[in-house]
Amino acid sequence: MTTLFETTDLEAAEQMLTATYCAMRFTVSGDQHRARIARHTVGPIELHHNTFTMQFHIDADPMRRLTMGRVLGGSFSYRSGAERSDNEPGDIFLLARPDEPYQSINIDVDLEFTVIDPPLLAQVADAGPGRTAAGFHFTGFHPISAQAARLWAATYDYVRDNVAGTPAADEPLLAGNAARLLMATALATFPSNVTRDPTIEDRRDAHPVTLRRAVAFIDANAHRDVCPGDVAAAAHVTIRTLQLAFRRHLDTTPGAYLRRVRLEHAHRDLLDGDPADTTVGAVAAHWGFASHSRFTAHYHAAYGQAPSETLRRR
């Protein structure tokens, strides 16, 4: 779903921002007042592109959601607690913590960012030992490295250009994959309390029985928008254990195995499809593949021919 809001009315802009994010108060200077807010829903998350042609200060309540993105133009500074972040075009930022108010100074700012409910991060990673999804938190507002910042920008661009605002966003598997790709990239970009290295318990539990449970769940549910957290829960282990079990016993990852199973389903659909009303792109999107070229590469590696050749054989 895509929504677009544009106005030169300051009161309307403040009401829209409050309805979209959280309660906030505006202080505006200058004579130009234009606000543009574009939102794209991608599975359980949103991609936003906000442009403000004006200078203004915001005093905002806690957002209760995670907001991270990139400054495209203008100047964007904010303070949350004892931390302050000054951002210029090209900078990647994490905006405040979900439970903390913040203040920002904005000068003709143009922003692209994603909005995520914190519990969703449990779909792709484990918090520290003994913590629940509510225990996830980021420990800094800036990327851990320049490479991490570039990874975030490239991933955001990929999801924005290939999924958000396109018919692909209506495909549950594809939208879910894209959303979790951004969530996983966020965890790799900003410092957090996520634990990535297997614990002693994870190593102990990464046995063949865990793998069999996980494989059985994936085989039976590949048509659903399942995430690593779902598979781990079905196998009664952590996501770290799940990943270790697949590496240890199959020399692959849960995500790669799920992709292989979905590729088999796509292969059957192409074999059974009628070229008159079936397209490779539609089949690929239905099974969670956003990029036609990547789908073709995976398909050719598995079946020795292009998916279009399989479809034409009928």
Side-chain angles (χ1 to χ4, degrees):
M1 181 178 68
T2 299
T3 61
L4 177 63
F5 172 82
E6 292 186 82
T7 187
T8 57
D9 185 311
L10 288 178
E11 184 176 352
E14 184 173 338
Q15 291 175 352
M16 182 61 180
L17 287 168
T18 293
T20 303
Y21 303 110
C22 61
M24 56 181 66
R25 281 70 58 192
F26 264 35
T27 303
V28 181
S29 59
D31 298 327
Q32 282 191 311
H33 308 140
R34 180 177 295 278
R36 184 182 190 275
I37 303 171
R39 292 187 292 166
H40 302 288
T41 300
V42 178
I45 70 172
E46 294 179 356
L47 269 60
H48 293 211
H49 185 180
N50 293 357
T51 305
F52 299 98
T53 307
M54 56 184 174
Q55 299 182 32
F56 62 103
H57 174 273
I58 284 178
D59 188 4
D61 290 350
M63 284 189 61
R64 308 301 178 191
R65 296 189 291 173
L66 291 165
T67 300
M68 56 204 69
R70 171 175 50 189
V71 180
L72 300 179
S75 176
F76 176 53
S77 300
Y78 58 93
R79 182 188 297 276
S80 180
E83 299 186 65
R84 178 185 174 94
S85 179
D86 299 313
N87 301 277
E88 301 296 336
D91 288 345
I92 306 297
F93 66 87
L94 173 66
L95 177 61
R97 296 184 179 90
D99 58 346
E100 294 182 352
Y102 71 94
Q103 300 80 42
S104 70
I105 299 173
N106 310 265
I107 303 174
D108 294 331
V109 69
D110 189 10
L111 305 172
E112 277 188 326
F113 54 91
T114 187
V115 178
I116 302 171
D117 290 326
L120 290 173
L121 296 177
Q123 294 185 3
V124 296
D126 300 303
R131 296 179 181 270
T132 64
F136 276 109
H137 67 265
F138 288 91
T139 57
F141 291 171
H142 302 285
I144 59 176
S145 67
Q147 181 180 7
R150 289 192 294 271
L151 174 64
W152 170 263
T155 304
Y156 188 98
D157 290 349
Y158 172 78
V159 174
R160 179 199 62 205
D161 296 341
N162 291 279
V163 183
T166 75
D170 296 327
E171 292 289 350
L173 301 191
L174 197 156
N177 284 348
R180 285 186 288 275
L181 176 61
L182 268 177
M183 288 189 276
T185 304
L187 290 171
T189 300
F190 299 95
S192 72
N193 70 333
V194 168
T195 301
R196 294 180 174 83
D197 294 331
T199 64
I200 294 175
E201 292 79 9
D202 294 328
R203 297 183 187 281
R204 180 198 63 205
D205 294 340
H207 45 62
V209 174
T210 291
L211 180 68
R212 286 198 294 271
R213 288 174 180 157
V215 165
F217 179 83
I218 290 174
D219 289 346
N221 294 276
H223 62 289
R224 297 175 53 238
D225 180 28
V226 297
C227 65
D230 295 328
V231 183
H236 312 300
V237 295
T238 66
I239 295 175
R240 294 185 303 270
T241 299
L242 180 73
Q243 293 167 337
L244 181 58
F246 271 83
R247 286 201 306 270
R248 180 181 288 175
H249 303 293
L250 288 182
D251 193 26
T252 189
T253 66
Y257 181 80
L258 175 59
R259 183 174 63 236
R260 189 170 76 197
V261 173
R262 287 176 172 168
L263 191 66
E264 292 173 1
H265 284 285
H267 176 61
R268 294 192 202 107
D269 285 354
L270 290 170
L271 285 173
D272 296 339
D274 185 341
D277 55 25
T278 301
T279 67
V280 171
V283 171
H286 178 72
W287 287 106
F289 297 89
S291 168
H292 188 282
S293 61
R294 292 185 185 183
F295 173 70
T296 298
H298 287 305
Y299 191 91
H300 193 279
Y303 299 105
Q305 61 181 192
S308 57
E309 294 179 75
T310 301
L311 182 60
R312 286 197 300 267
R313 282 175 57 184
R314 180 183 174 96

